[in-house]
């Protein structure tokens, strides 16, 4: 059973009433079909109202939903013949980033993404999706390998941010992220990035320099977490909802600012409600994106990527 979020409570309570009436009908043999039909129509209307008017903070909660599909879930659904590759050939293997070789409709591709856990034990193993430097170096190793063998690269982004601990800083966290930004800008193969949940700061950007960048409908992308922004602005992390509602972090905001190239729709209630449908929509976006990028030459791919990021933002030159 899906874990409910605070704003979903009225809908969950209404559905419980429907289930109680159905159970009472089965046990007592009394016909409540008319009442059940009315409540089901009411629930359907309420569901549409709730999910069509989500605030940025509510989208943030959906993006962080513990049952939201992970990179490995999407790899299993979208690709075939996946072979996971490990290690950065320098320090070790970071479980917060997964990657390897797979096939998309029979075509070899390289797939890389942040990986969160499914439960407490798994989250500890995956460091809650927050990579160390070796994670970013592993990702870059796989991207360079993809370039060598002329394979398109598909990246899934879902992280609160790069791990800020002492060990990560000692091993060169900022250098690893900066190197990824530089090297990804120069890759001579198609690069497609999708923010599937949280796109947190440089930890997300280190896998986000692509020819095309998409976001799921309820994903977020920001330079800092709402909690971090609230702590800086008001010295109170509990004001996270207030910060989220003013930070312009939703997919709709990112599209308006030309940061992303498109929004991938989610099933009503979020990606975790229907993995098959969500994966099918994502695959369609990836296939269509590759159709547009594959005709470009190596130089054209690099130039297109360069111009994409040059166009982001607005500024005024004063002579």
């Amino acid at each position: 059973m899906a874990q409910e979020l605070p704003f979903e409570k009225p809908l969950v309570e209404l559905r419980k009433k429907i289930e109680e009436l159905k159970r009472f009908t089965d046990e007592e043999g009394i016909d409540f079909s008319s009442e059940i039909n009315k409540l089901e129509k009411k629930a359907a209307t309420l569901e549409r109202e709730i999910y069509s008017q989500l605030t940025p903070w509510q989208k943030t909660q959906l993006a962080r939903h513990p049952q939201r599909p992970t990179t490995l879930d999407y790899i299993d659904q979208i690709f075939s013949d996946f072979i996971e590759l490990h290690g950065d050939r320098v320090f070790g293997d970071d479980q917060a980033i997964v990657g390897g070789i797979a096939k998309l409709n029979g075509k070899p591709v390289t797939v890389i993404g942040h990986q969160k856990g499914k439960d407490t034990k798994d989250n500890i193993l995956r460091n809650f999706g927050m990579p160390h430097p070796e994670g970013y170096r592993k990702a870059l190793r796989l991207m360079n390998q993809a370039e060598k063998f002329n394979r398109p690269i598909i990246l899934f982004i879902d992280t609160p941010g790069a791990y800020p601990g002492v060990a990560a800083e000692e091993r060169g966290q900022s250098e690893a992220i900066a190197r990824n930004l530089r090297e990804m800008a120069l890759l001579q193969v198609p690069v497609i990035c999708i923010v599937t949940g949280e796109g947190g700061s440089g930890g997300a950007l280190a896998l986000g320099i692509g020819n095309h960048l998409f976001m799921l409908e309820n994903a977020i992308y920001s330079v800092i977490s709402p909690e971090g922004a609230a702590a800086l602005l008001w010295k109170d992390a509990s004001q996270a909802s207030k910060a989220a509602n003013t930070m312009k972090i939703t997919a709709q905001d990112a599209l308006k600012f030309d940061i992303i190239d498109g929004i991938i729709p989610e099933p009503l209630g979020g990606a975790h409600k229907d993995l098959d449908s969500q994966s099918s929509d994502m695959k369609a976006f990836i296939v269509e994106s590759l159709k547009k990028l594959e005709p470009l030459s190596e130089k054209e791919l690099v130039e297109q990527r360069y111009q994409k990021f040059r166009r982001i933002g607005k500024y005024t030159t004063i002579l």
Side-chain angles (χ1 to χ4, degrees), residues 65-132:
H65 198 288
Q67 292 168 319
R68 195 167 179 86
T70 66
T71 291
L72 288 176
D73 291 327
Y74 291 126
I75 288 175
D76 184 59
Q77 291 281 324
I78 297 172
F79 305 93
S80 62
D81 303 309
F82 176 64
I83 301 173
E84 185 175 355
L85 302 177
H86 299 272
D88 68 339
R89 303 298 187 264
V90 176
F91 180 82
D93 187 43
D94 188 348
Q95 297 288 330
I97 285 185
V98 297
I101 306 166
K103 288 184 178 178
L104 177 66
N105 294 337
K107 179 182 177 63
V109 296
T110 289
V111 188
I112 306 166
H114 299 96
Q115 180 65 27
K116 292 181 177 179
K118 292 287 191 179
D119 52 36
T120 302
K121 183 178 179 181
D122 196 20
N123 262 318
I124 292 172
L125 173 69
R126 304 287 183 182
N127 200 34
F128 296 86
M130 296 184 290
H132 287 74

Side-chain angles (χ1 to χ4, degrees), residues 19 42 75 77 136 157 161 164 168 212:
E19 290 304 315
K42 184 177 179 180
I75 288 175
Q77 291 281 324
Y136 294 116
I157 298 167
H212 290 163

Side-chain angles (χ1 to χ4, degrees), residues 7 18 67 72 79 82 98 214 224 242 251 280 287:
F7 63 87
I18 294 172
Q67 292 168 319
L72 288 176
F79 305 93
F82 176 64
V98 297
F214 303 107
I224 191 172
K242 179 181 177 182
S280 178
V287 170

Side-chain angles (χ1 to χ4, degrees), residues 136 157 159-162 177 198-207 221-225:
Y136 294 116
I157 298 167
T159 179
I177 292 173
E198 290 184 271
S201 192
L205 194 59
L207 297 187
Y221 200 23
S222 65
V223 70
I224 191 172
S225 69

Side-chain angles (χ1 to χ4, degrees), residues 234-251:
W234 303 297
K235 311 299 181 186
D236 183 3
S238 67
Q239 297 290 321
S241 60
K242 179 181 177 182
N245 292 334
T246 59
M247 288 170 62
K248 307 295 184 184
I249 61 176
T250 68

Side-chain angles (χ1 to χ4, degrees), residues 185-206:
L186 299 173
L187 289 170
Q188 296 182 351
V189 292
V191 181
I192 300 168
C193 309
I194 302 175
V195 183
T196 60
E198 290 184 271
S201 192
L205 194 59

